[in-house]
Amino acid sequence: MPDAVQHDHESPAVVHADAMLDLLASQLGMGFWRMLVANGATYWSEHAFEIYGLPPQLEPLTTEEAMSHIVDYDRPSAVALLKRTVAERRGHKAKFRIETGAGIKVVEYTADVRIGPGGDVSEVFGTMQDITGHTMKDANAVGRSLLVRTLMKNVPAAIAVLDRQMNYLAVSDYWIAGHKTAEGGNLVGKNHYVVRPDISQEHRAEHRRVLAGETIHSPRAYMKDRTGKIVPQMCVMCPWHKVDGTIGGMMLMLGAVDGPVPLTPAGPTSRPTRHELLEILQDL
């Protein structure tokens, strides 16, 4: 009986460790590696070879062979980080690009050290994970953000993007110039109703309808062009949606129309100048 108890006490610890490594490899796509400091022999797990697109092997790689797959631009940084890990006797995390038969991949590495009996670092070990997909999503998100910023800066129209609480998420330069406030151009993060406390209850009711899913084309105040002719304006308000389909907020857009606004006094039309367009923003 004591032998059976001893076996049950020791066995789970070994099984759990192996199972955990298998779980990380299969579910999280992690590979494992370790390098012996004495001779540079580097050992990779089977999934590590899969990440690199190489057939698995039991024989160790040399440090040079392991590093050779990192792209030329990143390799000096990878070598320097490995040396620093040994010198500082502490772990690090980094991302480097590698060249594979399937193209360039972005791999995140973790590293830690094992101290030998003499007090020196005997080996460096860690994990590697292919994060190419996440990196591309992040890059695309950054690209979309830059696209929106460029659009808002250069589009010749008054546009504001707000969340459900009517806080500004993005505004065009035309909108900023038209809303002369104490904040100047620093409107992002401010609340539309705080910036414009004089907005009528009628317009606030329209905003609530938009946040409920409706798109509204609403005439706003009129202004005259340089010849004194009335210029009809239209405010377009529409909801924008999150990835899950729920309404994340609304967009406000103001522009001139090519004819009289229906159900409003008709008159000759003319495209407004930038100065004239900005004045109409005060009524939004």
Side-chain angles (χ1 to χ4, degrees):
M1 182 65 69
D3 291 340
V5 173
Q6 182 70 19
H7 176 75
D8 289 341
H9 176 72
E10 292 180 351
S11 179
V14 177
V15 172
H16 289 170
D18 292 341
M20 182 59 68
L21 293 178
D22 290 340
L23 177 65
L24 292 174
S26 62
Q27 299 298 319
L28 301 181
M30 281 188 172
F32 305 98
W33 63 274
R34 69 187 183 99
M35 184 199 75
L36 304 181
V37 175
N39 57 13
T42 303
Y43 297 86
W44 285 355
S45 68
E46 182 175 349
H47 192 69
F49 281 102
E50 290 179 8
I51 291 175
Y52 278 72
L54 300 173
Q57 66 180 55
L58 296 177
E59 297 79 14
L61 302 169
T62 65
T63 305
E64 291 75 15
E65 289 173 333
M67 290 288 182
S68 67
H69 298 280
I70 298 178
V71 299
D72 293 343
Y73 185 83
D74 292 354
R75 193 178 305 127
S77 297
V79 172
L81 183 61
L82 181 59
K83 291 180 178 179
R84 195 174 67 183
T85 299
V86 175
E88 297 179 355
R89 298 156 60 95
R90 66 183 181 90
H92 291 92
K93 179 186 288 188
K95 300 173 185 177
F96 298 113
R97 294 166 295 174
I98 64 172
E99 296 178 351
T100 72
I104 301 294
K105 290 183 178 180
V106 180
V107 178
E108 183 175 67
Y109 299 86
T110 62
D112 208 342
V113 299
R114 188 181 301 278
I115 306 300
D120 296 327
V121 176
S122 61
E123 65 180 67
V124 183
F125 64 96
T127 64
M128 62 176 74
Q129 186 176 23
D130 181 3
I131 60 168
T132 307
H134 298 297
T135 303
M136 290 303 297
K137 289 179 181 178
D138 291 343
N140 289 337
V142 172
R144 288 192 294 270
S145 178
L146 292 174
L147 175 61
V148 170
R149 292 180 189 177
T150 301
L151 174 65
M152 288 299 190
K153 183 174 181 59
N154 295 286
V155 65
I159 301 175
V161 183
L162 306 105
D163 63 17
R164 293 191 62 86
Q165 288 71 46
M166 297 300 287
N167 298 313
Y168 291 106
L169 300 179
V171 290
S172 68
D173 279 10
Y174 268 70
W175 186 282
I176 293 173
H179 287 77
K180 301 178 179 65
T181 65
E183 294 86 355
N186 187 26
L187 289 178
V188 174
K190 304 293 183 181
N191 188 272
H192 185 50
Y193 298 141
V194 173
V195 174
R196 296 295 318 191
D198 56 337
I199 292 176
S200 68
Q201 291 302 316
E202 178 185 358
H203 292 165
R204 291 175 189 240
E206 289 179 336
H207 298 163
R208 290 192 291 272
R209 288 163 54 193
V210 173
L211 291 174
E214 188 176 348
T215 295
I216 297 177
H217 294 71
S218 176
R220 286 295 191 248
Y222 289 98
M223 64 184 182
K224 297 180 179 180
D225 63 14
R226 293 177 179 177
T227 67
K229 297 178 180 178
I230 294 177
V231 180
Q233 298 289 307
M234 178 66 72
C235 180
V236 179
M237 295 168 281
C238 64
W240 61 266
H241 295 79
K242 299 179 181 179
V243 176
D244 62 6
T246 60
I247 295 175
M250 65 181 294
M251 293 181 63
L252 291 170
M253 297 164 281
L254 180 77
V257 296
D258 291 327
V261 179
L263 304 179
T264 60
T269 64
S270 173
R271 290 288 183 182
T273 64
R274 175 180 171 125
H275 175 73
E276 293 167 335
L277 181 59
L278 298 181
E279 292 180 353
I280 195 67
L281 293 175
Q282 302 300 326
D283 189 52
L284 281 177

